Amino acid sequence: MKFLMRTLVTAIALWAATRLVTGITFHGSVLALAGLAIVFGVLNAFVRPILTFLSFPLLIVTLGFFIFVLNAVMLMLTSGIAPRLGIDVHVSGFGAAFWGAIVVIIVSFLLSIFIRE
């Protein structure tokens, strides 16, 4: 049940990013959006820890603000992989990915406040 709720929160956050940020587009059904959330979650589970470890000095120097750059990279990576799985999503550049990642962080945080485990 926790996985389902986490996927739902991520799907809503990604949908919000596609609606609020110019340069991020998504065309598809609710099922495709859930698939996009799963791709994003899997990449965050396996790739993000490696990138965080490799960029640890930058995280220290920037007092943690480099994590926003890592989140943007994860969104761009998701945009690169998802079309190969039949999910129509596109992030037009790093600026769109950066602002989209900020929207995803904020929406996920706000929704997580209301969901109890």
Side-chain angles (χ1 to χ4, degrees):
M1 187 62 140
K2 183 177 179 180
F3 172 76
L4 184 62
M5 292 306 291
R6 198 73 225 143
T7 302
L8 179 63
V9 166
T10 304
I12 292 170
L14 289 169
W15 177 81
T18 63
R19 296 294 175 230
L20 296 174
V21 178
T22 305
I24 300 178
T25 58
F26 170 77
H27 302 285
S29 64
V30 174
L31 189 60
L33 187 61
L36 179 63
I38 291 171
V39 170
F40 187 70
V42 167
L43 288 174
N44 272 323
F46 293 105
V47 177
R48 184 177 170 161
I50 296 167
L51 292 178
T52 303
F53 178 76
L54 293 175
S55 65
F56 188 71
L58 285 172
L59 285 167
I60 296 297
V61 169
T62 62
L63 302 175
F65 285 110
F66 192 73
I67 203 77
F68 294 118
V69 173
L70 288 180
N71 289 336
V73 168
M74 297 309 299
L75 195 57
M76 289 183 75
L77 190 58
T78 300
S79 171
I81 292 174
R84 294 180 182 150
L85 300 174
I87 302 168
D88 187 16
V89 65
H90 178 71
V91 177
S92 64
F94 182 77
F98 182 81
W99 292 110
I102 289 176
V103 169
V104 169
I105 290 168
I106 292 170
V107 172
S108 294
F109 173 73
L110 292 175
L111 289 175
S112 295
I113 290 172
F114 297 109
I115 295 176
R116 294 187 181 243
E117 295 187 18

